[in-house]
């Protein structure tokens, strides 16, 4: 949870406004309504779903398959592969505190997603365990930086009174990972694990690039404007 430190560092603290009590469902629907209609929040929601649905399942659902079928190893090899992701995630959590200070948070988000996808392609095409572990280490870093920058921009794009409601949407991302695990497994059955990871990673990178090219809000996104603009 180190990425939460980055969000804390850039979130201004204000006295919360008192509002009439609402149900959790109403609060979540209000947050979703804002996220769908606001250009920045909508793009951040999309870029948050891309790794959750297309990229992260390759690190979870298919890792045992790679250990056994691709690298011909057992539990020890699987542990090394997963540990590489975890080690990268720890470093990524530390790095996310630094990247939270970068004003062009849209560029940070795009770079993290493309690095994540590229590292997974490198992993899928690796011919040895050390090479695979190196790419997984990079993927772990990129995953954490991606998560940090995405959650920061998603919450900071909302008015102060709606940030809690927008934050209630974050549990959707683990749900997308579960659905992504199913689709990733089906894709691996048809294409094989390596080709499936390459195809899903390229698709995720293409979606991120298209979002960047089509969204002027994402290209012009500045953290200083999000923090400094009263809502």
């Amino acid at each position: 949870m180190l990425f939460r430190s980055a969000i804390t560092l850039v979130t201004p603290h204000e006295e919360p406004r008192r509002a009439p009590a609402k149900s959790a469902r109403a609060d979540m629907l209000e947050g979703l309504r804002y996220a769908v209609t606001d250009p920045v929040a909508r793009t951040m929601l999309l870029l948050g779903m891309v790794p959750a649905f297309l990229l992260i399942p390759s690190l979870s659902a298919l890792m045992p398959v790679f250990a056994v079928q691709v690298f011909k190893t057992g539990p020890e090899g699987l542990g090394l592969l997963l540990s590489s992701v975890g080690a990268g995630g720890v470093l990524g959590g530390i790095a996310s505190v630094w990247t939270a200070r970068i004003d062009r948070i849209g560029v940070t988000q795009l770079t993290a997603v493309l690095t994540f996808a590229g590292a997974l392609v490198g992993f899928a095409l690796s011919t040895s365990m050390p090479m695979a572990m190196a790419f997984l280490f990079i993927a772990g870093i990129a995953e954490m930086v991606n998560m940090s920058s995405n959650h920061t921009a998603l919450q900071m794009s909302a008015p102060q009174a709606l940030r809690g409601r927008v934050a209630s949407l974050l549990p959707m991302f683990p749900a997308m990972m579960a659905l992504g695990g199913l689709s990733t497994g089906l894709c691996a059955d048809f294409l094989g694990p390596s080709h499936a990871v390459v195809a899903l990673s390229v698709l995720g990178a293409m979606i991120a690039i298209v979002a960047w090219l089509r969204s002027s809000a994402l290209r012009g996104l500045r953290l200083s404007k999000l923090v400094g603009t009263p809502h």
Side-chain angles (χ1 to χ4, degrees), residues 40 44 103-107 153 216-223 226:
V40 174
M44 289 299 105
D103 194 38
R104 297 194 65 185
I105 195 169
V107 175
S216 59
L218 178 61
R219 295 193 303 272
L221 187 60
R222 298 292 190 277
L223 186 60
L226 294 179

Side-chain angles (χ1 to χ4, degrees), residues 93-119:
I94 298 172
S96 66
V97 178
W98 176 78
T99 57
R101 303 175 183 176
I102 299 176
D103 194 38
R104 297 194 65 185
I105 195 169
V107 175
T108 301
Q109 178 72 26
L110 178 67
T111 302
V113 173
L114 295 182
T115 302
F116 193 2

